[in-house]
Amino acid sequence: MEVVVTRAAQREATRLALLAEGRRRFAVDGYQDVVLAEVAQAIGATKGAAYHHFGSKLGLFRAVVAEVQEELGARVAAEADAQRGPWEQLRAGCRAFLASGTDPEVRQILLEDAPAVLGWDEWRAMDEASSARHLADALAALMSAGVIAAQPVEPLTRLLSGAMNESALWIARSGDVAALEQAASALDSLLRGLRTA
């Protein structure tokens, strides 16, 4: 029984090491310049082990994207949850998402490579599962509380999500330290326009 646990633990350790090394390389080099065999070699594993766990470089990238999106969604939710009241939670969550544009790893993996490598539909579905649903929930809560006018949640979520994705990419590419504050200010103005009072 101990041998089975040890092998299972070894397999999991190899999978996690491949994921971490793949993430590091995708963030630094971009998807096109990463070679799966080199990722495996860097952690002392075989190319076969990488294929066993992820199937392909694309499979490894997909797992990395999911991990980064999950972490970003958790960061956004934590920033929102630290605030009192649904309005301040929305603002804090949106600002935390915009701030992700200052993270080089998020920029390269999520904002630049993921839509191009995975395709728009798959990337959008992953984004929706990790962070857009939090935005939809926040907007629905604000509508229920009468803070913003009742309206269909899905189109409003998509409008705000698209604007924030584009803004985060602009922040990432601008190289201007003031870009985050400028985008956050513009977003605040946009959000204030939704308020009923």
Side-chain angles (χ1 to χ4, degrees):
M1 188 66 168
E2 232 176 86
V3 173
V4 173
V5 172
T6 301
R7 285 186 183 159
Q10 281 181 320
R11 281 194 299 274
E12 181 61 9
T14 298
R15 188 187 75 75
L16 292 174
L18 286 165
L19 190 61
E21 180 64 14
R23 181 173 175 164
R24 186 188 73 74
R25 287 181 183 237
F26 288 131
V28 171
D29 300 329
Y31 179 81
Q32 295 302 326
D33 292 332
V34 172
V35 177
L36 189 58
E38 292 173 2
V39 172
Q41 183 180 15
I43 65 149
T46 65
K47 184 169 71 170
Y51 280 103
H52 169 75
H53 287 289
F54 298 103
S56 64
K57 180 172 91 166
L58 180 60
L60 175 59
F61 182 71
R62 190 175 278 122
V64 166
V65 169
E67 181 179 74
V68 174
Q69 280 186 319
E70 185 178 312
E71 289 173 9
L72 177 57
R75 250 190 328 229
V76 168
E79 289 291 325
D81 291 345
Q83 302 300 313
R84 295 182 65 171
W87 180 255
E88 290 307 316
Q89 288 174 338
L90 174 68
R91 290 183 65 234
C94 289
R95 183 179 179 86
F97 183 83
L98 288 179
S100 73
T102 64
D103 181 336
E105 183 180 68
V106 169
R107 178 190 57 78
Q108 185 65 51
I109 294 171
L110 287 189
L111 300 174
E112 292 195 6
D113 283 344
V117 173
L118 300 176
W120 176 256
D121 289 338
E122 183 177 354
W123 176 78
R124 187 70 190 112
M126 291 176 81
D127 180 59
E128 209 163 289
S130 65
S131 60
R133 67 182 164 82
H134 295 297
L135 179 58
D137 291 346
L139 292 170
L142 287 165
M143 288 177 203
S144 293
V147 176
I148 62 176
Q151 58 190 289
V153 174
E154 186 173 353
L156 183 57
T157 301
R158 290 184 183 275
L159 283 167
L160 289 175
S161 180
M164 286 189 292
N165 279 326
E166 190 63 30
S167 294
L169 184 57
W170 172 73
I171 291 165
R173 290 181 172 168
S174 75
D176 182 354
V177 295
L180 175 58
E181 289 307 316
Q182 292 170 352
S185 177
L187 182 62
D188 265 346
S189 296
L190 184 68
L191 292 175
R192 277 195 305 273
L194 297 173
R195 291 198 72 148
T196 56

